[in-house]
Amino acid sequence: MSTPIEQRRILRTAIPGPASQALHARKLAAVSSGVSTGLPAYIERAAGGILVDADGNQLIDFGSGIAVTSVGNAAPKVVERVSAQVAELTHTCFMVNPYEEYVAVCEKLNELTPGDHPKRTALFNSGAEAVENAVKVARHYTGKDGIVAFDHAYHGRTNLTLAMTAKNMPYKHKFGPFASELYRVPMAYPYRWPGGPQHCADEAFDYIIDQIHAQIGEENTAAVIIEPIQGEGGFVVPPRGFLPALAQWCRDNNILFIADEVQSGFCRTGDWFACDDEGVVPDLVTTAKGIAGGMPLSGLTGRADIMDTIHPGGLGGTYGGNPVACAAALGAIETMEELDLCSRAREIEAILRADLEKLAAIYPQVGEIRGRGAMIAMELVTDRETKEPAAALTAAINKACHAQGLVTLTCGTLGNVFRFLPPLVISDELLHEGMSILADAFAASV
Ligand SMILES: *Cc1c(COP(=O)(O)O)cnc(C)c1O
């Protein structure tokens, strides 16, 4: 066991310091320029809410490696299970020789995902792979081709998922042509709904189903896929009633409703899954990110009658559901249950919101604060009337936070959303300290 990391921010050098800069010079000479780094402080160890870099700086983590280390980095139960597993069995390929850990993770996903109907699960390596398989299953089961995705959607970087992702730079630019029979409809985005936020709930649903009817036809539509709270696209939360209405309409039209919970899942929003908030039960659910404390694993969970129509050998892959990744998932899920991280996510929301409301009271550039649990965002605008996106200000504040050792992330199709995704095991003290760094960064940047 390595020595525990004191849960305290420590700045020993400028960020990034000399050791990180030396590593970064090697990175630039060895790693493709296409793989960029948000904050080139090279991390050596991490735990709780702290990342320790190569210069011994201790940074506060408000990103969890993009909603992945919800149980914390190197979480004790994850380390324990992974260490034991890696010493016993590293790989067989589940499709060649099966092992218990894969089955146990599927049982857990079937139990925890929304709805108490019979379910089946298949495991993969990445979120994009889970989404790809959701599309394969939906087309196979329905015998239809059309897939509907939303404005501001992010579903991954493979060719099929890029067709579903809604942002050109940096994801899609010059990487096409993309897979066909993917259609896009407007997102129910209250803050930017053309008819005004108060009409979004009524108008968005009607508009979207009219679009699907007119442009594709229900009889050609296999599935509608939506992030119940959008991630990369800006933490857009649809108005209450929208997701239940959409799910019901899909059911009425023999169209599968797929919830992409890759970012919003596993206690992040204060529930096991974001769909739970309104009792929405999807036909298929994709999971990844928070599932295994940082080990690569993803899942596709769905109605047993859908998932069991696939012919043997139709789903799989060499590494999908690797035993070490599965052991990590079992340790991560056990941690979420034991520490009641859903409740902790709601406490984190209360702390973050209180401080963000203070910023909103001072700065007219805060257009909206939104999100649920420990998935909270602040959208910045140059003017509250015109809602002109303040992308440059967002980037400046982000940079100022980084310089003070606070690892923050931005998002949004227009690059003007600040997002907060702290590990759910972060202390109140680090949350408060992070928010005061953010307030200083705001003051210095406006
Ligand atoms: C990150 C993400 C993906 C893609 O996951 P990868 O593991 O990066 O392939 C898909 N959907 C959503 C909602 C995501 O946030």
Side-chain angles (χ1 to χ4, degrees):
M1 285 294 276
S2 52
T3 45
I5 296 169
E6 195 187 350
Q7 293 297 298
R8 191 161 72 88
R9 181 177 64 127
I10 300 174
L11 298 188
R12 299 188 198 278
T13 68
I15 309 280
S20 279
Q21 287 177 31
L23 287 166
H24 203 57
R26 281 172 56 195
K27 183 264 180 192
L28 293 175
V31 181
S32 164
S33 61
V35 185
S36 66
T37 54
L39 168 53
Y42 283 68
I43 305 304
E44 293 187 338
R45 306 167 57 209
I50 292 290
L51 303 162
V52 185
D53 77 7
D55 293 283
N57 296 301
Q58 300 209 162
L59 317 179
I60 301 177
D61 184 7
F62 270 15
S64 304
I66 318 186
V68 169
T69 52
S70 297
V71 295
N73 250 286
K77 288 253 151 64
V78 173
V79 173
E80 205 177 288
R81 294 236 193 190
V82 165
S83 306
Q85 185 64 48
V86 79
E88 293 289 341
L89 177 74
T90 50
H91 176 82
T92 58
C93 182
F94 189 77
M95 306 168 74
V96 177
N97 292 112
Y99 39 88
E100 181 181 352
E101 291 75 15
Y102 187 115
V103 178
V105 171
C106 293
E107 287 169 349
K108 220 54 199 160
L109 283 168
N110 294 345
E111 173 198 326
L112 294 171
T113 51
D116 48 18
H117 52 285
K119 295 175 207 161
R120 301 284 187 270
T121 290
L123 301 178
F124 307 97
N125 304 290
S126 68
E129 221 186 327
V131 171
E132 291 241 356
N133 280 280
V135 170
K136 281 164 62 178
V137 168
R139 286 178 171 160
H140 185 110
Y141 174 79
T142 61
K144 302 190 274 184
D145 296 334
I147 303 292
V148 177
F150 288 79
D151 281 345
H152 308 288
Y154 183 87
H155 296 293
R157 292 175 181 264
T158 57
N159 185 272
L160 173 59
T161 56
L162 276 181
M164 304 157 83
T165 288
K167 187 173 178 176
N168 179 48
M169 278 303 260
Y171 309 126
K172 304 175 76 160
H173 188 62
K174 293 190 171 183
F175 290 136
F178 301 109
S180 62
E181 290 309 307
L182 273 300
Y183 298 88
R184 193 170 310 289
V185 292
M187 178 60 183
Y189 185 170
Y191 183 63
R192 293 190 180 276
W193 188 253
Q198 67 279 19
H199 297 297
C200 182
D202 298 338
E203 293 177 6
F205 172 71
D206 290 343
Y207 185 77
I208 288 162
I209 62 169
D210 284 353
Q211 291 280 299
I212 297 173
H213 176 76
Q215 296 190 13
I216 319 165
E218 293 83 345
E219 65 278 28
N220 303 314
T221 304
V224 171
I225 179 163
I226 190 164
E227 299 153 82
I229 295 180
Q230 288 183 317
E232 304 304 302
F235 283 22
V236 177
V237 187
R240 286 197 82 74
F242 176 78
L243 291 174
L246 190 62
Q248 184 60 48
W249 179 82
C250 285
R251 237 180 330 268
D252 294 344
N253 288 280
N254 184 31
I255 294 168
L256 297 188
F257 181 82
I258 307 173
D260 182 351
E261 293 256 17
V262 166
Q263 191 154 159
S264 55
F266 291 103
C267 304
R268 182 50 57 185
T269 62
D271 290 296
W272 277 102
F273 294 93
C275 279
D276 294 333
D277 184 56
E278 290 189 87
V280 172
V281 178
D283 299 300
L284 299 172
V285 186
T286 55
T287 53
K289 293 199 165 90
I291 191 173
M295 295 296 285
L297 186 71
S298 66
L300 171 63
T301 303
R303 278 166 39 199
D305 62 311
I306 298 172
M307 296 294 285
D308 279 348
T309 56
I310 310 295
H311 49 278
L315 303 178
T318 305
Y319 294 115
N322 167 274
V324 182
C326 285
L330 296 172
I333 293 168
E334 193 181 327
T335 304
M336 293 173 208
E337 286 170 336
E338 283 184 8
L339 301 182
D340 188 10
L341 292 185
C342 287
S343 300
R344 180 59 187 156
R346 289 189 217 111
E347 290 170 10
I348 291 171
E349 171 173 2
I351 292 172
L352 295 181
R353 272 190 186 272
D355 283 339
L356 291 173
E357 299 293 352
K358 284 182 209 152
L359 289 180
I362 304 170
Y363 300 107
Q365 290 88 351
V366 179
E368 189 182 48
I369 297 161
R370 58 174 177 255
R372 267 204 318 274
M375 187 170 184
I376 296 289
M378 163 173 81
E379 174 157 358
L380 300 183
V381 293
T382 56
D383 178 318
R384 277 188 188 164
E385 288 304 310
T386 64
K387 299 184 178 175
E388 174 82 14
L393 175 65
T394 307
I397 298 171
N398 198 40
K399 213 168 155 223
C401 289
H402 290 178
Q404 289 305 311
L406 175 66
V407 180
T408 43
L409 300 173
T410 62
C411 62
T413 312
L414 307 169
N416 66 322
V417 181
F418 235 90
R419 59 170 151 175
F420 303 93
L421 290 167
L424 304 178
V425 294
I426 195 172
S427 68
D428 285 4
E429 290 71 25
L430 287 177
L431 284 173
H432 288 304
E433 189 179 357
M435 293 311 276
S436 93
I437 293 168
L438 176 74
D440 292 345
F442 217 119
S445 305
V446 284

